[in-house]
């Protein structure tokens, strides 16, 4: 964690509420927060902060604004659907950056995100992760709910975490549903939500035959995952899907998995009788 | 492989065409083949062979018939939906076996299959696998189609096989879809067909963004998988689903993955322009 101490921080904001949460918590940590909201993606509530709207491709405008804010430190957060190069309206100030941008749009998903960080670093900016400026966003170790995993479930959590670790060198292994020593579903490209929907469907179809609450979602950062731009996260939707799959709870890497909308997420977990548990990584 | 040399072999037949294929090929290998078809599951074409119909639970009838056939060697093949204990109509001859049966119905899927083998072994039978009596059923090493994997695709196949190997100790890791160095989908409880449907859906939704034929299904036996009762298999349906996902082809463990309805499977792979490739395990 970096303490703000009145330093300027620019949040480059994509979609969702995360940029707003990061902004609020970073302010509490003493940062002088500004937000550059990406038009068409960022929540309009960024306007409650010092802000500017930039279109994808308006790099000249962004660079000028960062200079006006005297800001050399960035956090990039929020969803942006990867655009096609030809769909981006570049401004004059973006011209010198076009070759780099074309290159980074060609790679896989992970390499785009890594590329964005390298892009700004190459221009002299310091790029921090959301957890660097707002560590309160991450799960803490141990039970975050009144419910706790049983001994058997702790064994499933350990086994799931180990499975994720061995898959990690293959650039997958972010999440898995474990139950009674078995892997019910393993996440690859589909994402955590779709994997949880699959677990629910496997129960509904009788392929996963079990009565009552059973199973746990285990979610960790991949080894070497760039937590500055690609933070594993859970939130109210994760709770809803875990409840629909009749899981017992959710275990996430402490200090590395972001709990979005924490108050609401914890309240809904409690209401659904799910545990939320931080694994000491 | 065991040569038949006129010895008696009883095939305990569940659903599907596999029991018929095993019967035909085992005959060619010199076995004196009998089939005990499980009522409600086995294909009626077992009646072209020396056969008996037994209901689940008619163990007394089965034991007597095996004795009449002078048959101490079994192959168990074909699908049987795991029944509830209370739904099985046991005959008198099954009474002494009930505690064992109750125990094996309580376990997970794998342990049921292992349990069935141990059950018959405990009664003095030798239980062989389909590949022991009909090795022609398995994939051979190298390209089985005119199409062959490219160099890049061979790298994906190697990486997929390695991923399956590291997952194997967790009792998963039977199949994976790889493309351009990435794992697109990993099979757990849902089975290979459902995983291939997911790969197709990921393409259709644009989450897996790629043009033209891309990706390969890699399927291997799990380490320690009991190939006597739980044989990984591909067949015409696998080809159909791989085609629907616009994959380039399918790679399977040579000598360990069964190619069901081989002629039809190879013909449909050729028609779809897919390669079928055996990995030297």
């Amino acid at each position: 964690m970096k303490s703000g101490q009145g330093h300027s921080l620019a949040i480059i904001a994509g979609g969702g509420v995360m940029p707003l949460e990061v902004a609020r918590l970073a302010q509490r940590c003493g940062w002088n927060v500004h937000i550059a909201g990406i038009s068409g993606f960022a929540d309009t509530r960024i306007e409650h902060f010092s802000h500017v709207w930039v279109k994808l491709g308006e790099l000249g405008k962004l660079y000028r604004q960062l200079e006006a804010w005297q800001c050399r430190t960035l956090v990039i957060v929020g969803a942006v659907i990867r655009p096609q190069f030809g769909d981006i309206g570049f401004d004059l100030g973006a011209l010198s950056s076009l070759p780099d941008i074309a290159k980074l749009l060609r790679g896989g998903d992970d390499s785009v995100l890594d590329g964005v960080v390298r892009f700004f670093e190459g221009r002299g900016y310091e790029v921090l992760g959301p957890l660097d400026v707002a560590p309160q966003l991450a799960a803490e170790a141990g039970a975050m709910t009144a419910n706790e995993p049983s001994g058997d479930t702790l064994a499933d959590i350990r086994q799931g975490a180990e499975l994720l670790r061995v898959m990690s060198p293959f650039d997958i292994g972010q999440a898995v549903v474990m139950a009674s020593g078995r892997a019910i579903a393993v996440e690859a490209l589909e994402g955590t939500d779709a994997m949880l929907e699959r677990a629910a469907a496997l129960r509904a179809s009788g392929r996963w035959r079990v009565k009552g609450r059973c199973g746990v979602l285990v979610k960790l950062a991949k080894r070497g995952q760039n937590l500055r731009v690609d933070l594993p996260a859970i939130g109210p939707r994760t709770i809803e899907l875990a409840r629909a799959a009749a899981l017992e709870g959710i275990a996430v890497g402490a200090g590395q998995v972001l709990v979005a909308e924490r108050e609401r997420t914890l309240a809904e977990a409690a209401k659904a009788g799910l545990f939320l548990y931080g694994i000491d990584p």
Side-chain angles (χ1 to χ4, degrees), chain A:
Chain A
M1 180 197 171
K2 294 222 168 187
S3 171
Q5 298 178 327
H7 289 297
S8 275
L9 174 72
I11 296 172
I12 300 186
V17 297
M18 264 340 287
L20 299 168
E21 290 196 48
V22 173
R24 215 161 340 190
L25 291 168
Q27 273 186 337
R28 268 197 230 155
C29 292
W31 290 93
N32 183 15
V33 170
H34 309 279
I35 304 183
I38 300 174
S39 303
F41 293 97
D43 192 300
T44 53
R45 284 173 289 176
I46 66 163
E47 299 187 349
H48 299 147
F49 297 83
S50 159
H51 72 282
V52 68
W53 286 101
V54 291
K55 294 190 187 122
L56 276 174
E58 288 186 330
L59 279 170
K61 182 176 180 187
L62 177 62
Y63 296 149
R64 280 192 303 277
Q65 187 63 61
L66 291 172
E67 205 163 320
W69 286 333
Q70 297 189 295
C71 186
R72 306 297 301 164
T73 302
L74 310 179
V75 167
I76 305 165
V77 63
V80 173
I81 308 288
R82 176 152 49 141
Q84 300 285 350
F85 187 81
D87 296 342
I88 305 176
F90 292 103
D91 65 10
L92 269 176
L95 281 187
S96 66
S97 310
L98 288 189
D100 288 349
I101 294 169
K103 204 170 97 192
L104 78 85
L105 285 176
R106 271 201 300 273
D109 281 322
D110 285 350
S111 61
V112 170
L113 296 167
D114 289 346
V116 168
V117 171
R118 279 196 305 275
F119 177 86
F120 284 104
E121 285 179 338
R123 274 148 194 82
Y125 296 98
E126 177 187 33
V127 181
L128 299 179
L131 298 184
D132 294 321
V133 296
Q136 315 97 307
L137 284 167
E140 61 257 26
M144 288 169 268
T145 44
N147 282 348
E148 291 190 35
S150 69
D152 284 354
T153 305
L154 281 172
D156 277 340
I157 291 170
R158 273 192 298 272
Q159 202 181 351
E162 187 53 33
L163 173 56
L164 293 174
R165 259 175 225 122
V166 303
M167 293 193 298
S168 204
F170 296 86
D171 197 21
I172 53 167
Q174 181 129 324
V176 64
V177 173
M178 298 294 297
S180 311
R182 281 201 300 176
I184 303 301
V186 174
E187 175 186 338
L189 193 62
E190 73 275 21
T192 304
D193 287 1
M195 184 195 59
L196 286 171
E197 285 166 356
R198 182 160 78 251
L202 286 166
R203 279 193 97 148
S205 72
R207 181 124 192 178
W208 177 20
R209 296 221 304 195
V210 70
K211 281 175 188 141
R213 284 296 176 81
C214 184
V216 57
L217 167 68
V218 185
K219 184 162 186 169
L220 300 176
K222 289 179 276 190
R223 197 161 67 187
Q225 184 167 351
N226 190 336
L227 297 180
R228 289 187 294 175
V229 283
D230 177 23
L231 207 53
I234 60 164
R237 173 88 179 135
T238 322
I239 301 295
E240 169 54 25
L241 292 169
R243 193 199 55 70
L247 301 186
E248 287 173 73
I250 297 171
V252 298
Q256 58 171 211
V257 174
L258 186 146
V259 182
E261 303 180 62
R262 174 179 291 246
E263 257 178 64
R264 192 177 145 207
T265 298
L266 290 179
E268 297 198 356
K271 208 171 72 185
L274 293 164
F275 68 76
L276 193 53
Y277 183 85
I279 307 164
D280 234 333

